[in-house]
mmCIF file of all heavy atoms in Angstrom:
data_model
loop_
_atom_site.group_PDB
_atom_site.id
_atom_site.type_symbol
_atom_site.label_atom_id
_atom_site.label_comp_id
_atom_site.label_asym_id
_atom_site.label_seq_id
_atom_site.Cartn_x
_atom_site.Cartn_y
_atom_site.Cartn_z
ATOM 1 N N GLU S 75 -240.265 -12.162 110.434
ATOM 2 C CA GLU S 75 -241.414 -11.371 110.012
ATOM 3 C C GLU S 75 -242.352 -11.245 111.197
ATOM 4 O O GLU S 75 -242.871 -12.240 111.713
ATOM 5 C CB GLU S 75 -242.135 -12.024 108.836
ATOM 6 C CG GLU S 75 -243.263 -11.150 108.298
ATOM 7 C CD GLU S 75 -243.937 -11.738 107.083
ATOM 8 O OE1 GLU S 75 -243.243 -12.356 106.251
ATOM 9 O OE2 GLU S 75 -245.167 -11.579 106.985
ATOM 10 N N LEU S 76 -242.562 -9.995 111.648
ATOM 11 C CA LEU S 76 -243.334 -9.753 112.863
ATOM 12 C C LEU S 76 -244.397 -8.685 112.621
ATOM 13 O O LEU S 76 -244.225 -7.812 111.752
ATOM 14 C CB LEU S 76 -242.409 -9.277 113.990
ATOM 15 C CG LEU S 76 -241.307 -10.232 114.455
ATOM 16 C CD1 LEU S 76 -240.433 -9.540 115.479
ATOM 17 C CD2 LEU S 76 -241.912 -11.507 115.026
ATOM 18 N N PRO S 77 -245.475 -8.708 113.400
ATOM 19 C CA PRO S 77 -246.446 -7.613 113.331
ATOM 20 C C PRO S 77 -245.879 -6.389 114.036
ATOM 21 O O PRO S 77 -245.146 -6.482 115.015
ATOM 22 C CB PRO S 77 -247.659 -8.175 114.077
ATOM 23 C CG PRO S 77 -247.081 -9.158 115.037
ATOM 24 C CD PRO S 77 -245.899 -9.766 114.332
ATOM 25 N N ASP S 78 -246.218 -5.211 113.526
ATOM 26 C CA ASP S 78 -245.765 -3.963 114.126
ATOM 27 C C ASP S 78 -246.912 -2.963 114.058
ATOM 28 O O ASP S 78 -247.894 -3.156 113.325
ATOM 29 C CB ASP S 78 -244.543 -3.425 113.372
ATOM 30 C CG ASP S 78 -243.785 -2.385 114.180
ATOM 31 O OD1 ASP S 78 -244.141 -2.155 115.356
ATOM 32 O OD2 ASP S 78 -242.839 -1.790 113.640
ATOM 33 N N GLU S 79 -246.782 -1.889 114.840
ATOM 34 C CA GLU S 79 -247.756 -0.802 114.821
ATOM 35 C C GLU S 79 -247.032 0.483 114.458
ATOM 36 O O GLU S 79 -246.055 0.866 115.109
ATOM 37 C CB GLU S 79 -248.452 -0.657 116.172
ATOM 38 C CG GLU S 79 -249.363 -1.819 116.504
ATOM 39 C CD GLU S 79 -250.090 -1.614 117.822
ATOM 40 O OE1 GLU S 79 -249.428 -1.211 118.806
ATOM 41 O OE2 GLU S 79 -251.306 -1.859 117.872
ATOM 42 N N LEU S 80 -247.509 1.152 113.413
ATOM 43 C CA LEU S 80 -246.940 2.419 112.972
ATOM 44 C C LEU S 80 -247.901 3.548 113.314
ATOM 45 O O LEU S 80 -249.121 3.375 113.277
ATOM 46 C CB LEU S 80 -246.691 2.398 111.461
ATOM 47 C CG LEU S 80 -245.849 1.255 110.896
ATOM 48 C CD1 LEU S 80 -245.669 1.445 109.401
ATOM 49 C CD2 LEU S 80 -244.513 1.160 111.605
ATOM 50 N N VAL S 81 -247.326 4.699 113.615
ATOM 51 C CA VAL S 81 -248.182 5.855 113.846
ATOM 52 C C VAL S 81 -248.865 6.233 112.533
ATOM 53 O O VAL S 81 -248.247 6.272 111.460
ATOM 54 C CB VAL S 81 -247.373 7.036 114.408
ATOM 55 C CG1 VAL S 81 -246.230 7.423 113.495
ATOM 56 C CG2 VAL S 81 -248.264 8.241 114.652
ATOM 57 N N THR S 82 -250.163 6.492 112.577
ATOM 58 C CA THR S 82 -250.923 6.854 111.384
ATOM 59 C C THR S 82 -250.656 8.311 111.014
ATOM 60 O O THR S 82 -250.679 9.194 111.878
ATOM 61 C CB THR S 82 -252.428 6.653 111.618
ATOM 62 O OG1 THR S 82 -252.658 5.298 112.001
ATOM 63 C CG2 THR S 82 -253.227 6.958 110.355
ATOM 64 N N GLU S 83 -250.397 8.553 109.748
ATOM 65 C CA GLU S 83 -250.216 9.911 109.235
ATOM 66 C C GLU S 83 -251.169 10.108 108.076
ATOM 67 O O GLU S 83 -251.093 9.403 107.066
ATOM 68 C CB GLU S 83 -248.772 10.148 108.785
ATOM 69 C CG GLU S 83 -248.537 11.563 108.262
ATOM 70 C CD GLU S 83 -247.097 11.803 107.837
ATOM 71 O OE1 GLU S 83 -246.384 10.811 107.586
ATOM 72 O OE2 GLU S 83 -246.692 12.969 107.743
ATOM 73 N N GLU S 84 -252.080 11.073 108.202
ATOM 74 C CA GLU S 84 -253.054 11.362 107.154
ATOM 75 C C GLU S 84 -253.268 12.872 107.060
ATOM 76 O O GLU S 84 -253.105 13.588 108.056
ATOM 77 C CB GLU S 84 -254.398 10.687 107.449
ATOM 78 C CG GLU S 84 -254.374 9.174 107.371
ATOM 79 C CD GLU S 84 -255.743 8.561 107.617
ATOM 80 O OE1 GLU S 84 -256.667 9.296 108.010
ATOM 81 O OE2 GLU S 84 -255.885 7.345 107.416
ATOM 82 N N PRO S 85 -253.658 13.365 105.883
ATOM 83 C CA PRO S 85 -253.943 14.795 105.762
ATOM 84 C C PRO S 85 -255.292 15.135 106.369
ATOM 85 O O PRO S 85 -256.212 14.321 106.392
ATOM 86 C CB PRO S 85 -253.958 15.022 104.250
ATOM 87 C CG PRO S 85 -254.414 13.698 103.700
ATOM 88 C CD PRO S 85 -253.821 12.652 104.612
ATOM 89 N N MET S 86 -255.403 16.340 106.905
ATOM 90 C CA MET S 86 -256.687 16.851 107.365
ATOM 91 C C MET S 86 -256.873 18.272 106.843
ATOM 92 O O MET S 86 -256.024 19.139 107.079
ATOM 93 C CB MET S 86 -256.798 16.850 108.883
ATOM 94 C CG MET S 86 -258.209 17.199 109.381
ATOM 95 S SD MET S 86 -258.346 17.199 111.179
ATOM 96 C CE MET S 86 -257.838 18.884 111.562
ATOM 97 N N GLU S 87 -257.950 18.494 106.143
ATOM 98 C CA GLU S 87 -258.277 19.821 105.640
ATOM 99 C C GLU S 87 -259.056 20.577 106.705
ATOM 100 O O GLU S 87 -260.055 20.084 107.235
ATOM 101 C CB GLU S 87 -259.118 19.702 104.365
ATOM 102 C CG GLU S 87 -259.493 21.042 103.746
ATOM 103 C CD GLU S 87 -260.322 20.892 102.488
ATOM 104 O OE1 GLU S 87 -260.477 19.744 102.015
ATOM 105 O OE2 GLU S 87 -260.818 21.913 101.972
ATOM 106 N N ILE S 88 -258.586 21.776 107.028
ATOM 107 C CA ILE S 88 -259.235 22.619 108.030
ATOM 108 C C ILE S 88 -259.981 23.733 107.321
ATOM 109 O O ILE S 88 -259.392 24.506 106.562
ATOM 110 C CB ILE S 88 -258.207 23.204 109.015
ATOM 111 C CG1 ILE S 88 -257.484 22.075 109.750
ATOM 112 C CG2 ILE S 88 -258.889 24.141 110.015
ATOM 113 C CD1 ILE S 88 -256.342 22.554 110.626
ATOM 114 N N ARG S 89 -261.290 23.799 107.562
ATOM 115 C CA ARG S 89 -262.147 24.802 106.938
ATOM 116 C C ARG S 89 -262.826 25.637 108.015
ATOM 117 O O ARG S 89 -263.011 25.168 109.148
ATOM 118 C CB ARG S 89 -263.200 24.118 106.052
ATOM 119 C CG ARG S 89 -262.608 23.294 104.926
ATOM 120 C CD ARG S 89 -263.615 22.324 104.326
ATOM 121 N NE ARG S 89 -264.735 22.982 103.688
ATOM 122 C CZ ARG S 89 -264.760 23.371 102.407
ATOM 123 N NH1 ARG S 89 -263.697 23.135 101.643
ATOM 124 N NH2 ARG S 89 -265.799 23.966 101.891
ATOM 125 N N VAL S 90 -263.214 26.857 107.655
ATOM 126 C CA VAL S 90 -263.874 27.739 108.615
ATOM 127 C C VAL S 90 -264.994 28.493 107.907
ATOM 128 O O VAL S 90 -264.885 28.800 106.706
ATOM 129 C CB VAL S 90 -262.865 28.719 109.257
ATOM 130 C CG1 VAL S 90 -262.278 29.677 108.213
ATOM 131 C CG2 VAL S 90 -263.501 29.495 110.409
ATOM 132 N N THR S 91 -266.054 28.797 108.647
ATOM 133 C CA THR S 91 -267.168 29.543 108.073
ATOM 134 C C THR S 91 -267.829 30.387 109.152
ATOM 135 O O THR S 91 -267.925 29.970 110.311
ATOM 136 C CB THR S 91 -268.210 28.603 107.443
ATOM 137 O OG1 THR S 91 -269.311 29.374 106.943
ATOM 138 C CG2 THR S 91 -268.745 27.591 108.447
ATOM 139 N N GLY S 92 -268.252 31.594 108.762
ATOM 140 C CA GLY S 92 -269.024 32.457 109.639
ATOM 141 C C GLY S 92 -270.456 32.525 109.166
ATOM 142 O O GLY S 92 -270.822 31.890 108.164
ATOM 143 N N PRO S 93 -271.311 33.300 109.828
ATOM 144 C CA PRO S 93 -272.717 33.387 109.445
ATOM 145 C C PRO S 93 -272.891 33.834 107.990
ATOM 146 O O PRO S 93 -272.366 34.874 107.586
ATOM 147 C CB PRO S 93 -273.288 34.425 110.408
ATOM 148 C CG PRO S 93 -272.370 34.396 111.588
ATOM 149 C CD PRO S 93 -271.015 34.113 111.023
ATOM 150 N N GLY S 94 -273.607 33.034 107.190
ATOM 151 C CA GLY S 94 -273.875 33.384 105.802
ATOM 152 C C GLY S 94 -272.694 33.260 104.874
ATOM 153 O O GLY S 94 -272.791 33.660 103.708
ATOM 154 N N GLN S 95 -271.580 32.725 105.344
ATOM 155 C CA GLN S 95 -270.388 32.595 104.511
ATOM 156 C C GLN S 95 -270.194 31.154 104.074
ATOM 157 O O GLN S 95 -270.524 30.220 104.817
ATOM 158 C CB GLN S 95 -269.133 33.033 105.294
ATOM 159 C CG GLN S 95 -269.075 34.501 105.616
ATOM 160 C CD GLN S 95 -267.796 34.832 106.377
ATOM 161 O OE1 GLN S 95 -267.499 34.227 107.410
ATOM 162 N NE2 GLN S 95 -267.027 35.789 105.856
ATOM 163 N N PRO S 96 -269.653 30.949 102.865
ATOM 164 C CA PRO S 96 -269.283 29.585 102.480
ATOM 165 C C PRO S 96 -268.068 29.131 103.278
ATOM 166 O O PRO S 96 -267.245 29.945 103.701
ATOM 167 C CB PRO S 96 -268.940 29.719 100.989
ATOM 168 C CG PRO S 96 -268.511 31.148 100.836
ATOM 169 C CD PRO S 96 -269.342 31.940 101.809
ATOM 170 N N ALA S 97 -267.955 27.858 103.491
ATOM 171 C CA ALA S 97 -266.791 27.319 104.190
ATOM 172 C C ALA S 97 -265.560 27.475 103.314
ATOM 173 O O ALA S 97 -265.569 27.139 102.135
ATOM 174 C CB ALA S 97 -267.017 25.856 104.543
ATOM 175 N N GLU S 98 -264.484 28.018 103.893
ATOM 176 C CA GLU S 98 -263.240 28.220 103.161
ATOM 177 C C GLU S 98 -262.128 27.377 103.769
ATOM 178 O O GLU S 98 -261.995 27.280 104.992
ATOM 179 C CB GLU S 98 -262.825 29.688 103.195
ATOM 180 C CG GLU S 98 -263.719 30.614 102.393
ATOM 181 C CD GLU S 98 -263.075 31.973 102.235
ATOM 182 O OE1 GLU S 98 -262.076 32.079 101.482
ATOM 183 O OE2 GLU S 98 -263.542 32.917 102.895
ATOM 184 N N THR S 99 -261.313 26.804 102.912
ATOM 185 C CA THR S 99 -260.170 26.027 103.369
ATOM 186 C C THR S 99 -259.058 26.965 103.821
ATOM 187 O O THR S 99 -258.666 27.879 103.098
ATOM 188 C CB THR S 99 -259.653 25.112 102.249
ATOM 189 O OG1 THR S 99 -260.680 24.185 101.900
ATOM 190 C CG2 THR S 99 -258.418 24.341 102.701
ATOM 191 N N VAL S 100 -258.559 26.737 105.021
ATOM 192 C CA VAL S 100 -257.461 27.533 105.558
ATOM 193 C C VAL S 100 -256.133 26.799 105.395
ATOM 194 O O VAL S 100 -255.113 27.396 105.060
ATOM 195 C CB VAL S 100 -257.699 27.853 107.045
ATOM 196 C CG1 VAL S 100 -256.532 28.650 107.625
ATOM 197 C CG2 VAL S 100 -258.998 28.619 107.217
ATOM 198 N N ALA S 101 -256.142 25.497 105.639
ATOM 199 C CA ALA S 101 -254.900 24.732 105.567
ATOM 200 C C ALA S 101 -255.207 23.254 105.435
ATOM 201 O O ALA S 101 -256.311 22.798 105.738
ATOM 202 C CB ALA S 101 -254.044 24.969 106.806
ATOM 203 N N VAL S 102 -254.214 22.525 104.962
ATOM 204 C CA VAL S 102 -254.227 21.070 105.006
ATOM 205 C C VAL S 102 -252.995 20.672 105.805
ATOM 206 O O VAL S 102 -251.876 21.004 105.436
ATOM 207 C CB VAL S 102 -254.186 20.435 103.604
ATOM 208 C CG1 VAL S 102 -254.119 18.917 103.713
ATOM 209 C CG2 VAL S 102 -255.397 20.870 102.788
ATOM 210 N N THR S 103 -253.208 19.989 106.921
ATOM 211 C CA THR S 103 -252.101 19.603 107.786
ATOM 212 C C THR S 103 -251.984 18.092 107.842
ATOM 213 O O THR S 103 -252.982 17.376 107.822
ATOM 214 C CB THR S 103 -252.286 20.168 109.214
ATOM 215 O OG1 THR S 103 -251.137 19.859 109.997
ATOM 216 C CG2 THR S 103 -253.522 19.611 109.894
ATOM 217 N N MET S 104 -250.772 17.606 107.870
ATOM 218 C CA MET S 104 -250.536 16.190 108.064
ATOM 219 C C MET S 104 -250.582 15.910 109.562
ATOM 220 O O MET S 104 -249.856 16.534 110.335
ATOM 221 C CB MET S 104 -249.188 15.778 107.490
ATOM 222 C CG MET S 104 -249.040 16.078 106.003
ATOM 223 S SD MET S 104 -250.329 15.316 104.988
ATOM 224 C CE MET S 104 -249.991 13.569 105.268
ATOM 225 N N ARG S 105 -251.461 14.980 109.965
ATOM 226 C CA ARG S 105 -251.654 14.759 111.391
ATOM 227 C C ARG S 105 -251.915 13.294 111.683
ATOM 228 O O ARG S 105 -252.150 12.485 110.784
ATOM 229 C CB ARG S 105 -252.776 15.641 111.908
ATOM 230 C CG ARG S 105 -254.202 15.115 112.080
ATOM 231 C CD ARG S 105 -254.788 14.350 110.986
ATOM 232 N NE ARG S 105 -256.224 14.043 111.168
ATOM 233 C CZ ARG S 105 -256.926 13.378 110.288
ATOM 234 N NH1 ARG S 105 -256.362 12.947 109.181
ATOM 235 N NH2 ARG S 105 -258.209 13.127 110.493
ATOM 236 N N THR S 106 -251.867 12.963 112.976
ATOM 237 C CA THR S 106 -252.295 11.665 113.458
ATOM 238 C C THR S 106 -253.751 11.777 113.864
ATOM 239 O O THR S 106 -254.098 12.645 114.676
ATOM 240 C CB THR S 106 -251.452 11.225 114.667
ATOM 241 O OG1 THR S 106 -250.086 11.138 114.264
ATOM 242 C CG2 THR S 106 -251.919 9.882 115.195
ATOM 243 N N PRO S 107 -254.645 10.970 113.305
ATOM 244 C CA PRO S 107 -256.068 11.074 113.653
ATOM 245 C C PRO S 107 -256.300 10.954 115.153
ATOM 246 O O PRO S 107 -255.630 10.194 115.848
ATOM 247 C CB PRO S 107 -256.687 9.892 112.893
ATOM 248 C CG PRO S 107 -255.764 9.656 111.753
ATOM 249 C CD PRO S 107 -254.391 9.940 112.290
ATOM 250 N N GLY S 108 -257.264 11.709 115.625
ATOM 251 C CA GLY S 108 -257.577 11.762 117.052
ATOM 252 C C GLY S 108 -257.639 13.196 117.507
ATOM 253 O O GLY S 108 -256.754 13.990 117.179
ATOM 254 N N ASN S 109 -258.705 13.563 118.222
ATOM 255 C CA ASN S 109 -258.883 14.944 118.689
ATOM 256 C C ASN S 109 -258.837 15.925 117.523
ATOM 257 O O ASN S 109 -258.272 17.015 117.622
ATOM 258 C CB ASN S 109 -257.825 15.308 119.735
ATOM 259 C CG ASN S 109 -257.763 14.326 120.886
ATOM 260 O OD1 ASN S 109 -256.802 13.555 120.991
ATOM 261 N ND2 ASN S 109 -258.767 14.313 121.733
ATOM 262 N N ASP S 110 -259.447 15.531 116.400
ATOM 263 C CA ASP S 110 -259.405 16.360 115.190
ATOM 264 C C ASP S 110 -260.084 17.711 115.376
ATOM 265 O O ASP S 110 -259.622 18.727 114.839
ATOM 266 C CB ASP S 110 -260.071 15.615 114.027
ATOM 267 C CG ASP S 110 -259.252 14.436 113.540
ATOM 268 O OD1 ASP S 110 -258.035 14.417 113.779
ATOM 269 O OD2 ASP S 110 -259.839 13.534 112.907
ATOM 270 N N PHE S 111 -261.189 17.746 116.132
ATOM 271 C CA PHE S 111 -261.891 19.010 116.332
ATOM 272 C C PHE S 111 -261.049 19.975 117.154
ATOM 273 O O PHE S 111 -261.003 21.174 116.893
ATOM 274 C CB PHE S 111 -263.239 18.770 117.005
ATOM 275 C CG PHE S 111 -264.248 18.041 116.131
ATOM 276 C CD1 PHE S 111 -265.489 17.696 116.622
ATOM 277 C CD2 PHE S 111 -263.952 17.708 114.819
ATOM 278 C CE1 PHE S 111 -266.422 17.037 115.836
ATOM 279 C CE2 PHE S 111 -264.868 17.045 114.019
ATOM 280 C CZ PHE S 111 -266.114 16.706 114.532
ATOM 281 N N GLU S 112 -260.375 19.450 118.172
ATOM 282 C CA GLU S 112 -259.474 20.288 118.961
ATOM 283 C C GLU S 112 -258.352 20.831 118.092
ATOM 284 O O GLU S 112 -257.980 22.013 118.203
ATOM 285 C CB GLU S 112 -258.886 19.474 120.110
ATOM 286 C CG GLU S 112 -259.893 19.042 121.154
ATOM 287 C CD GLU S 112 -259.298 18.142 122.218
ATOM 288 O OE1 GLU S 112 -258.104 17.795 122.111
ATOM 289 O OE2 GLU S 112 -260.017 17.791 123.165
ATOM 290 N N LEU S 113 -257.815 19.995 117.227
ATOM 291 C CA LEU S 113 -256.733 20.420 116.340
ATOM 292 C C LEU S 113 -257.195 21.558 115.442
ATOM 293 O O LEU S 113 -256.492 22.565 115.283
ATOM 294 C CB LEU S 113 -256.246 19.246 115.492
ATOM 295 C CG LEU S 113 -255.249 19.561 114.375
ATOM 296 C CD1 LEU S 113 -254.003 20.248 114.919
ATOM 297 C CD2 LEU S 113 -254.877 18.287 113.626
ATOM 298 N N ALA S 114 -258.381 21.431 114.838
ATOM 299 C CA ALA S 114 -258.879 22.462 113.922
ATOM 300 C C ALA S 114 -259.083 23.785 114.644
ATOM 301 O O ALA S 114 -258.643 24.848 114.177
ATOM 302 C CB ALA S 114 -260.175 21.993 113.265
ATOM 303 N N VAL S 115 -259.736 23.747 115.796
ATOM 304 C CA VAL S 115 -260.007 24.982 116.544
ATOM 305 C C VAL S 115 -258.700 25.579 117.067
ATOM 306 O O VAL S 115 -258.470 26.792 116.975
ATOM 307 C CB VAL S 115 -260.981 24.701 117.701
ATOM 308 C CG1 VAL S 115 -261.127 25.936 118.598
ATOM 309 C CG2 VAL S 115 -262.354 24.307 117.161
ATOM 310 N N GLY S 116 -257.826 24.747 117.593
ATOM 311 C CA GLY S 116 -256.550 25.244 118.104
ATOM 312 C C GLY S 116 -255.705 25.874 117.020
ATOM 313 O O GLY S 116 -255.073 26.911 117.233
ATOM 314 N N PHE S 117 -255.689 25.264 115.841
ATOM 315 C CA PHE S 117 -254.924 25.821 114.728
ATOM 316 C C PHE S 117 -255.473 27.192 114.333
ATOM 317 O O PHE S 117 -254.711 28.160 114.144
ATOM 318 C CB PHE S 117 -254.973 24.874 113.528
ATOM 319 C CG PHE S 117 -254.239 25.382 112.320
ATOM 320 C CD1 PHE S 117 -252.893 25.126 112.146
ATOM 321 C CD2 PHE S 117 -254.898 26.136 111.352
ATOM 322 C CE1 PHE S 117 -252.216 25.613 111.028
ATOM 323 C CE2 PHE S 117 -254.232 26.621 110.247
ATOM 324 C CZ PHE S 117 -252.888 26.361 110.088
ATOM 325 N N LEU S 118 -256.790 27.304 114.198
ATOM 326 C CA LEU S 118 -257.386 28.580 113.783
ATOM 327 C C LEU S 118 -257.136 29.679 114.805
ATOM 328 O O LEU S 118 -256.887 30.827 114.442
ATOM 329 C CB LEU S 118 -258.893 28.393 113.564
ATOM 330 C CG LEU S 118 -259.288 27.474 112.405
ATOM 331 C CD1 LEU S 118 -260.797 27.252 112.388
ATOM 332 C CD2 LEU S 118 -258.830 28.046 111.064
ATOM 333 N N LEU S 119 -257.161 29.332 116.088
ATOM 334 C CA LEU S 119 -256.852 30.318 117.127
ATOM 335 C C LEU S 119 -255.380 30.693 117.104
ATOM 336 O O LEU S 119 -255.028 31.875 117.147
ATOM 337 C CB LEU S 119 -257.220 29.753 118.498
ATOM 338 C CG LEU S 119 -258.690 29.795 118.897
ATOM 339 C CD1 LEU S 119 -258.934 28.943 120.132
ATOM 340 C CD2 LEU S 119 -259.134 31.240 119.154
ATOM 341 N N SER S 120 -254.510 29.696 117.019
ATOM 342 C CA SER S 120 -253.069 29.952 117.065
ATOM 343 C C SER S 120 -252.599 30.821 115.919
ATOM 344 O O SER S 120 -251.706 31.653 116.071
ATOM 345 C CB SER S 120 -252.302 28.627 117.054
ATOM 346 O OG SER S 120 -252.559 27.870 118.214
#
């Protein structure tokens, strides 16, 4: 019985909003936490 490290997998909801608009959900992606803001912006651009 040994300690181990597993890659973290969690859902992240990506939302977007423009001036005067409510935030709308575009997608929920399964990701490894870290650089979440880059992921959201990159996904919306891609």
